[in-house]
Amino acid sequence: MKDVIAANADLAIRRIRDHPDDYALIVAWRNNPHVREWWDPDEQPMTMSGAIEQLGPQTRGDDPTTPRIIEHDGIPVGYIEFYPWDAEKPYLAEVGVSLPKGSWGLDIFIGESGLVSKGIGSRTVRLISDTLFAERGATAVALIMEAGNGRAQAAYTRAGMRVSGEPFLDTDMRDGQRVESILMIRDRPGGTADGR
Ligand SMILES: CC(C)(COP(=O)(O)OP(=O)(O)OC[C@H]1O[C@@H](n2cnc3c(N)ncnc32)[C@H](O)[C@@H]1OP(=O)(O)O)[C@@H](O)C(=O)NCCC(=O)NCCS
């Protein structure tokens, strides 16, 4: 099985190894303040056992969510996960969002604080979206993000996404309150997956 699932110049997206070294990387990144600010801010810091419990089944392919590590110049710098939105119907119904059948979703962070705003996030989102269109038949790639995360919105816009619809109340919490989120979407280039 090949390790790198998508690459473009100095950027690569690779499998997570089911090994403590990779889980330790993700734990350290998740607990960095610049990530915690926007990624489950009300949750306790991630522990190694928590990471193995959550990511182990996903890493082994036993879960609809596929987690991956982003490498830049051969060095691990961040995390991305993607999933078919069709597996998240109860969540979508709860937040009142409807998406085209066959849409894929993603979440991403750059774990190293010195490497944000250097174009890696937008390039990674574009690369994984192109891969989902080409290899998974995605009809659209859509993500849900906190409305106040201006840097993320700018990065996803650069990756070819646009805001769709109005802000809505998410199930994610900040300071005990449900956050206001937006949907960003990139349509499949040239039409739907079955060519219509
Ligand atoms: C969101 C994230 C993945 C984007 O990746 P990145 O590599 O930092 O993004 P890029 O460098 O590709 O693009 C950043 C854009 O934001 C802009 N930007 C930077 N700081 C900003 C701010 N405070 N407000 C608005 N825009 C900002 C940059 O100018 C750039 O836009 P441009 O390309 O049009 O000039 C990354 O910043 C990150 O991991 N943040 C912390 C965790 C997080 O927010 N995850 C996403 C949850 S939805």
Side-chain angles (χ1 to χ4, degrees), residues 34 38 108-110 117-119 121-122 149-151 154-156 158:
H34 78 282
W38 295 109
I108 178 174
F109 62 73
I110 304 299
S117 281
K118 294 189 184 301
S122 50
N149 193 346
R151 185 175 54 205
Y156 306 149
R158 184 166 283 272

Side-chain angles (χ1 to χ4, degrees), residues 48-154:
M48 191 68 175
S49 58
I52 291 169
E53 191 181 329
Q54 183 196 322
L55 294 168
Q58 298 177 347
T59 300
R60 292 188 290 273
D62 300 335
D63 189 281
T65 296
T66 303
R68 294 288 184 250
I69 279 177
I70 305 160
E71 288 193 349
H72 184 249
D73 275 338
I75 295 165
V77 297
Y79 171 87
I80 189 163
E81 61 187 22
F82 49 90
Y83 40 87
W85 273 117
D86 293 347
E88 302 290 338
K89 284 186 181 144
Y91 164 74
L92 291 175
E94 188 167 357
V95 296
V97 169
S98 54
L99 288 168
K101 193 170 163 31
S103 303
W104 281 68
L106 62 87
D107 305 295
I108 178 174
F109 62 73
I110 304 299
E112 304 292 341
S113 61
L115 293 178
V116 298
S117 281
K118 294 189 184 301
I120 299 173
S122 50
R123 288 179 59 207
T124 304
V125 169
R126 188 174 284 277
L127 176 61
I128 202 69
S129 302
D130 288 344
T131 305
L132 292 169
F133 290 131
E135 297 180 8
R136 309 283 179 128
T139 53
V141 175
L143 61 78
I144 289 174
M145 52 161 287
E146 196 169 334
N149 193 346
R151 185 175 54 205
Q153 187 177 342

Side-chain angles (χ1 to χ4, degrees), residues 3-6 11-15 68-69 80 124 127-128:
D3 207 25
V4 171
I5 61 144
L11 190 66
I13 302 170
R14 71 154 171 85
R15 289 176 197 283
R68 294 288 184 250
I69 279 177
I80 189 163
T124 304
L127 176 61
I128 202 69

